[in-house]
Amino acid sequence: MIKHPIVSIAMILLVLISCDSKKKDILKENNRAEIAIAPKKEVVYQVFTRLFGNTNPTNKPWGTIEENGVGKFNDFTDKALSKIKDLGVTYIWYTGVPHHDVIRDYTEYGISNDDPDVVKGRAGSPYAVKDYYNVNPDLAENPSKRLEEFEALIARSHKAGLKVVIDIVPNHVARNYQSITKPEGVTDFGETDDKTVVYNVNNNFYYNPGEPFVVPERRDGYVPLGGSENVLLDGKFDENPSKWTGNGSRLSQPDPNDWYETVKINYGITPDGHHDFDSLPEGFDAKDYKAHFEFWQDKTVPDSWVKFKDIALYWTAKGVDGFRYDMAEMVPVAFWSYMNSAIKMKNPEAFLLAEVYNPSLYRDYIRKGKMDYLYDKVQLYDTLKHVMQGWGKTDDIVPIQHDLKDIEHHMLHFLENHDEQRIASPEFAGNAEKAKPAMVVSATISTSPTLIYFGQEFGEPGAEDLGFGDPSRTSIFDYGSVPTLRRWVNDKNFDGGQSSPEELELYDFYKRLLNFTISSEALMGDYQDLHDYNTHNTAHYGLKQFSYARWSANEKLIVVNNFDADYGTEFYLKLPKELVEAWQLKPGEYMLEDQLYKSYQTLLQVSENGAEAKIAVKPLQSFIFKLK
């Protein structure tokens, strides 16, 4: 049959149009997929687990659980976790989970008592871990089911949309380390050590053969447990031969300022500093975790390496999403390559955060050690603290981003954590409001994650003297409660029903800021400093103001901060020509709208030579302007 040519042409066109339409649909789907997986900022909420849900207001120095109370895993209810998630949080770091020394009798559960002569505080240091294969019995309603209760908390956290981080402390363990719940085939740290020698590559500890351990002398009126009686409190601790102390002290009688409650782990480093393990080959800093994992497969590594790798994989298998590593720089980089690559092979998305304070080591621990994130403590935190205290200059912030440009994504930002003073304490800033501009800078200046410490969002001053810990830091060694958080918990309603108006206003600020950061595309994009340019070219803009631009293809932001606690100012913020060109702005007027409170707008006037916008800031005010 002969087909009409017009009909044939029409059919061909229909097919082409249909193919083109399908191609466009595929492209749209691909674009949607790219948008769906576009990276966003992460926010970590560090919570001291034993303190979070405790509503007992007693706070007696050296108080017992019966006197001061204690928070439990079960206090993190679905509602509590939902409220934490609503704050703008993506990860929750449960601090103090692994079973550490505590001064409480749990012998009915097969747990040996801990000696207050080598325990800091009554509740004990979370960084003196006694059993890595179980959790702190204080945190459980039923200590015999403590592991199951924590596993249920992991599940609740995931249900709330939160990923879970816990501590691993690879540099040291408690002097009386003993796991009573370790998996079959696992030996305890030190169980198979040759104690007749100072060092053996497969010993877990270092020893002083022939010398027994001697408890540090007491100074400055310090008495364990504040003078309370305890059957084990006799100024002695049975350890013979003596082990080296956690901070590296080789003395059989450590100093009271040493980490005497812990013993140092041996990673195959001889007393004179020689490494008894393979080195990473040249160029391995540029290789991914899979290559690192493969490298170690045919290597013999020290026993301590294997023990900690097994511990990490044990918790990974239980659903823990990441780890915070205490004092990671005291452990060799090669070990981290071995351990972190093994974790990433099981969970490529694992969140690995390390405490490293030496900037000269940052790149090794990130690139060779395969850390995801390190604390930005000695640069950004310390600088912001000085500015908040009133004597530091915002000029000092400028070079930090330049210095860390190649690793800025890996430098986690914070203004509080368990080691640092509370912002509202007299020893830090004395006023939680002074955190506002610093928090905006900390959360928006780079692509790195942001960490906040529980109670920070309410202006907690950490004023309680609970025993071993000093005021200005919320004690990590003692039983007690956190007043500002207690008011927000409000008899487990988690609604701020007892919070002051000032606490609720501060909470609202944190909630607005953090939620903006985790949804902003620009904060994962480019950065340009505006401070130096405006310092030299703008009247009424000075050493207490700080500004910069952040942008992506679809979002352009200008961040302006006033650190002055007493005075506001008004100025014409200027954008240099190269930024205008990068943003492809044509001459004219553009609206800038603040994204924090949506109550302030101003016009950006663009010319051939740059741009400027009139901005009036109040004391301690910040704006995150979005270009409309």
Side-chain angles (χ1 to χ4, degrees):
M1 184 174 66
I2 300 173
K3 295 181 180 179
H4 197 286
I6 296 175
V7 174
S8 298
I9 292 169
M11 290 180 68
I12 291 168
L13 286 171
L14 282 171
V15 170
L16 290 172
I17 290 168
S18 175
C19 289
D20 187 58
S21 177
K22 287 180 180 177
K23 188 175 181 181
K24 286 180 179 177
D25 287 341
I26 291 170
L27 288 172
K28 285 180 181 178
E29 288 300 319
N30 287 340
N31 287 336
R32 276 196 287 269
E34 287 178 10
I35 292 170
I37 63 172
K40 295 286 175 25
K41 292 268 286 188
E42 304 288 359
V43 173
V44 182
Y45 189 78
Q46 182 192 2
V47 57
F48 208 85
T49 315
R50 94 160 81 92
L51 299 178
F52 175 80
N54 185 17
T55 56
N56 183 327
T58 305
N59 282 352
K60 174 185 174 183
W62 298 100
T64 64
I65 281 182
E66 290 74 21
E67 293 169 321
N68 284 357
V70 69
K72 304 286 186 180
F73 292 133
N74 288 353
D75 289 329
F76 294 89
T77 62
D78 289 335
K79 183 175 182 181
L81 292 167
S82 174
K83 290 290 188 177
I84 292 171
K85 175 69 175 175
D86 289 347
L87 184 60
V89 172
T90 58
Y91 282 83
I92 184 164
W93 166 16
Y94 291 110
T95 305
V97 165
H99 184 181
H100 58 80
D101 281 358
V102 300
I103 306 303
R104 195 159 193 253
D105 191 339
Y106 285 109
T107 53
E108 66 178 290
Y109 304 102
I111 301 169
S112 60
N113 282 326
D114 301 319
D115 190 333
D117 288 299
V118 289
V119 176
K120 291 180 177 176
R122 184 179 289 277
S125 167
Y127 299 105
V129 176
K130 176 181 180 175
D131 183 355
Y132 262 115
Y133 288 101
N134 217 313
V135 298
N136 182 0
D138 280 348
L139 305 178
E141 299 289 351
N142 180 355
S144 68
K145 300 289 185 182
R146 58 195 184 278
L147 188 57
E148 291 91 333
E149 289 187 29
F150 181 59
E151 290 171 336
L153 175 56
I154 295 172
R156 286 198 304 279
S157 302
H158 288 165
K159 179 183 173 184
L162 296 167
K163 294 185 177 181
V164 172
V165 174
I166 65 170
D167 289 280
I168 287 183
V169 189
N171 179 66
H172 49 272
V173 295
R175 285 204 174 267
N176 59 332
Y177 187 92
Q178 180 190 28
S179 175
I180 61 173
T181 55
K182 57 185 179 290
E184 186 176 351
V186 172
T187 57
D188 276 342
F189 288 100
E191 186 175 334
T192 61
D193 281 6
D194 177 1
K195 301 178 183 179
T196 67
V197 296
V198 174
Y199 166 85
N200 179 289
V201 65
N202 285 316
N203 276 0
N204 300 133
F205 304 128
Y206 299 92
Y207 295 92
N208 292 334
E211 296 183 16
F213 173 80
V214 180
V215 171
E217 66 178 29
R218 298 172 186 174
R219 293 181 193 161
D220 304 321
Y222 170 72
V223 181
L225 304 183
S228 299
E229 292 186 1
N230 184 284
V231 67
L232 294 176
L233 188 54
D234 58 3
K236 300 176 183 177
F237 179 74
D238 185 17
E239 178 183 295
N240 195 355
S242 175
K243 306 179 184 79
W244 291 10
T245 294
N247 62 319
S249 171
R250 305 183 183 191
L251 300 174
S252 293
Q253 183 179 26
D255 186 87
N257 294 318
D258 288 329
W259 305 346
Y260 61 82
E261 78 280 22
T262 67
V263 288
K264 184 163 182 63
I265 297 292
N266 166 24
Y267 280 89
I269 300 177
T270 67
D272 63 2
H274 175 73
H275 291 188
D276 278 341
F277 50 81
D278 288 275
S279 299
L280 289 169
E282 191 73 26
F284 247 62
D285 54 342
K287 293 188 179 293
D288 65 12
Y289 68 84
K290 294 178 182 178
H292 281 246
F293 179 78
E294 287 300 322
F295 172 78
W296 293 110
Q297 293 314 292
D298 62 353
K299 306 296 187 297
T300 299
V301 299
D303 183 75
S304 298
W305 292 30
V306 178
K307 279 185 165 59
F308 268 106
K309 181 259 293 180
D310 290 346
I311 288 164
L313 295 183
Y314 171 85
W315 289 109
T316 299
K318 289 189 177 297
V320 169
D321 301 289
F323 304 101
R324 181 267 186 186
Y325 299 130
D326 185 80
M327 293 310 296
E329 69 186 84
M330 297 180 75
V331 178
V333 169
F335 162 75
W336 292 115
S337 163
Y338 169 83
M339 171 132 138
N340 288 339
S341 64
I343 295 170
K344 291 287 189 178
M345 291 299 291
K346 294 294 184 181
N347 177 12
E349 302 302 316
F351 185 99
L352 306 177
L353 167 63
E355 187 181 23
V356 175
Y357 294 140
N358 185 344
S360 70
L361 299 177
Y362 287 168
R363 287 159 184 83
D364 274 354
Y365 278 82
I366 292 167
R367 294 169 180 165
K368 295 180 180 178
K370 296 304 163 193
M371 294 296 183
D372 293 316
Y373 307 107
L374 310 179
Y375 281 23
D376 193 348
K377 196 274 184 196
V378 300
Q379 288 176 284
L380 189 65
Y381 168 83
D382 284 350
T383 300
L384 287 174
K385 181 174 184 178
H386 298 160
V387 176
M388 293 162 70
Q389 290 174 323
W391 58 272
K393 302 180 294 183
T394 51
D395 285 4
D396 296 332
I397 304 172
V398 176
I400 295 172
Q401 287 303 105
H402 176 75
D403 292 345
L404 300 175
K405 187 175 181 180
D406 59 321
I407 56 169
E408 60 88 21
H409 177 68
H410 301 280
M411 302 306 298
L412 174 131
H413 293 171
F414 63 91
L415 293 182
E416 285 190 357
N417 63 43
H418 68 277
D419 284 322
E420 307 299 342
Q421 294 169 325
R422 291 287 194 174
I423 294 163
S425 70
E427 294 82 355
F428 188 151
N431 179 359
E433 293 293 306
K434 291 184 179 180
K436 286 182 173 180
M439 194 65 211
V440 171
V441 172
S442 185
T444 67
I445 197 171
S446 80
T447 64
S448 67
T450 305
L451 181 145
I452 69 164
Y453 189 40
F454 82 127
Q456 178 182 342
E457 69 271 38
F458 304 110
E460 171 59 38
E464 283 65 42
D465 177 5
L466 294 177
F468 189 88
D470 293 325
S472 81
R473 294 172 176 86
T474 296
S475 175
I476 65 172
F477 306 105
D478 310 295
Y479 297 115
S481 61
V482 180
T484 58
L485 191 78
R486 195 172 66 229
R487 292 192 282 272
W488 177 78
V489 169
N490 187 28
D491 296 325
K492 310 299 173 70
N493 288 305
F494 305 100
D495 60 3
Q498 299 178 39
S499 298
S500 70
E502 292 78 14
E503 290 166 358
L504 293 177
E505 188 279 329
L506 189 64
Y507 176 84
D508 177 66
F509 164 78
Y510 275 92
K511 185 175 180 179
R512 288 172 183 271
L513 173 62
L514 296 177
N515 275 284
F516 174 77
T517 66
I518 63 172
S519 62
S520 171
E521 181 182 315
L523 294 184
M524 296 302 289
D526 292 309
Y527 165 87
Q528 181 167 330
D529 168 61
L530 300 177
H531 178 76
D532 190 58
Y533 187 77
N534 280 275
T535 299
H536 292 94
N537 294 286
T538 302
H540 310 298
Y541 178 103
L543 301 180
K544 292 183 180 292
Q545 286 74 53
F546 190 68
S547 58
Y548 47 91
R550 301 296 315 277
W551 72 95
S552 64
N554 302 309
E555 186 180 38
K556 296 173 177 61
L557 304 175
I558 298 170
V559 184
V560 180
N561 304 277
N562 183 23
F563 283 86
D564 197 316
D566 300 311
Y567 300 102
T569 185
E570 187 173 280
F571 51 83
Y572 282 89
L573 185 79
K574 294 176 175 58
L575 308 189
K577 183 178 180 180
E578 60 266 25
L579 180 60
V580 172
E581 291 174 349
W583 284 9
Q584 299 180 345
L585 301 180
K586 296 179 180 179
E589 292 184 342
Y590 297 81
M591 181 64 71
L592 295 174
E593 182 181 52
D594 174 50
Q595 299 301 291
L596 281 176
Y597 292 95
K598 303 280 188 178
S599 60
Y600 188 94
Q601 294 180 332
T602 189
L603 290 177
L604 181 69
Q605 306 279 352
V606 178
S607 68
E608 297 289 345
N609 298 315
E612 65 178 19
K614 185 178 181 181
I615 295 172
V617 286
K618 298 175 183 176
L620 299 176
Q621 188 173 35
S622 294
F623 295 121
I624 302 175
F625 289 115
K626 183 174 181 178
L627 185 73
K628 292 292 186 180

